[in-house]
Amino acid sequence: EVQLVESGGGLVQPGGSLRLSCEASGFTFSSYGMHWVRQAPGKGLEFVSTISRDGGSTYYANSVKGRFTISRDNSKNTLYLQMGTLRGEDMAVYYCARAPTIHSGSYAGFDYWGQGTLVTVSS
Amino acid sequence: DIQMTQSPSSLSATVGDRVTITCRASQTIVGYLNWYQQKPGKAPKLLISTASTLQSGVPSRFSGSGSGTDFTLTISSLQPEDFATYYCQQTFSPPLIFGGGTKVEIK
């Protein structure tokens, strides 16, 4: 059974940092591009970041570029999101998701999602 | 970056209605368009991948069509469990942007 389990969310002050993790199981982790998506309270889905199967290519939403870093450890089946200089608008539920790679940079749909982890940015 | 425009943002419908949601990309995304359903407090669920591929276990009343820049999600006969928010997403070229969502409510 495919499972994605996020952790690391919590309360952080504006300007602070947080690292999210997403532990994968039930599939060959290194065969899939992995992604972070967030959803602010009462708002729609927002793409955050993508990392290729081997970690060699990464992409970010303009809203987080330069502040967030996506990475993965294929030996530990784990995806990470290092978040820095956090702002109020970063407060959201953060989901990790997987998607089959069709060709470099292009993916099929996000077919499995984690349950999400809540990041609260407040003083 | 490719922008995604989804319409309508909300709609009211009755059980049994045929419902259509559209999504337009700011440039061609070939067929790299996906549709998701989300219910409150839950993670999104992939319904249709690459414009028209119905995911396993998704009822056949859901269908997707389109290519290039214009895409459609159709629910042929709305059921009570279909009241939810629906999102499109392009996965042709990062950033993999989502549409703004369509909330389907009970009339």
Side-chain angles (χ1 to χ4, degrees), chain A residues 35 37 39 43-47 50 59-62 65 95 102-111 113-116, chain B residues 1 32 34 36 38 41-46 48-50 55 87 89-101:
Chain A
H35 315 269
V37 177
Q39 187 168 37
K43 302 297 185 181
L45 301 173
E46 182 185 13
F47 167 81
T50 285
Y59 306 93
Y60 299 92
N62 290 334
K65 203 173 292 183
Y95 296 100
I102 296 179
H103 61 78
S104 178
S106 298
Y107 298 90
F110 292 6
D111 58 356
W113 297 64
Q115 83 288 353
Chain B
D1 295 353
Y32 291 89
N34 312 299
Y36 301 87
Q38 188 181 32
K42 299 294 187 181
K45 173 186 176 182
L46 178 65
I48 290 170
S49 180
T50 53
Q55 295 302 286
Y87 295 91
Q89 181 206 23
Q90 70 87 10
T91 47
F92 175 63
S93 175
L96 308 179
I97 301 295
F98 290 87

Side-chain angles (χ1 to χ4, degrees), chain A:
Chain A
E1 179 193 5
V2 172
Q3 283 198 309
L4 297 170
V5 179
E6 302 96 338
S7 60
L11 175 63
V12 61
Q13 292 187 337
S17 299
L18 208 57
R19 188 176 84 155
L20 306 183
S21 299
C22 170
E23 188 169 342
S25 60
F27 65 102
T28 304
F29 182 67
S30 59
S31 295
Y32 287 83
M34 295 297 297
H35 315 269
W36 288 99
V37 177
R38 69 184 181 184
Q39 187 168 37
K43 302 297 185 181
L45 301 173
E46 182 185 13
F47 167 81
V48 174
S49 187
T50 285
I51 188 166
S52 60
R53 289 172 289 193
D54 64 357
S57 296
T58 58
Y59 306 93
Y60 299 92
N62 290 334
S63 57
V64 307
K65 203 173 292 183
R67 300 187 299 122
F68 289 13
T69 301
I70 191 171
S71 61
R72 65 190 296 163
D73 186 336
N74 286 345
S75 69
K76 295 182 178 179
N77 292 342
T78 302
L79 173 72
Y80 303 99
L81 185 68
Q82 179 68 47
M83 303 186 295
T85 320
L86 283 162
R87 307 165 179 165
E89 54 264 38
D90 296 318
M91 185 162 66
V93 173
Y94 284 73
Y95 296 100
C96 65
R98 78 167 201 182
T101 302
I102 296 179
H103 61 78
S104 178
S106 298
Y107 298 90
F110 292 6
D111 58 356
Y112 283 91
W113 297 64
Q115 83 288 353
T117 187
L118 177 63
V119 172
T120 302
V121 182
S122 176
S123 54

Side-chain angles (χ1 to χ4, degrees), chain B residues 1-22:
Chain B
D1 295 353
I2 298 170
Q3 301 305 311
M4 304 302 295
T5 304
Q6 188 175 339
S7 61
S9 57
S10 66
L11 65 90
S12 295
T14 302
V15 170
D17 282 352
R18 181 181 183 89
V19 169
T20 300
I21 299 168
T22 63

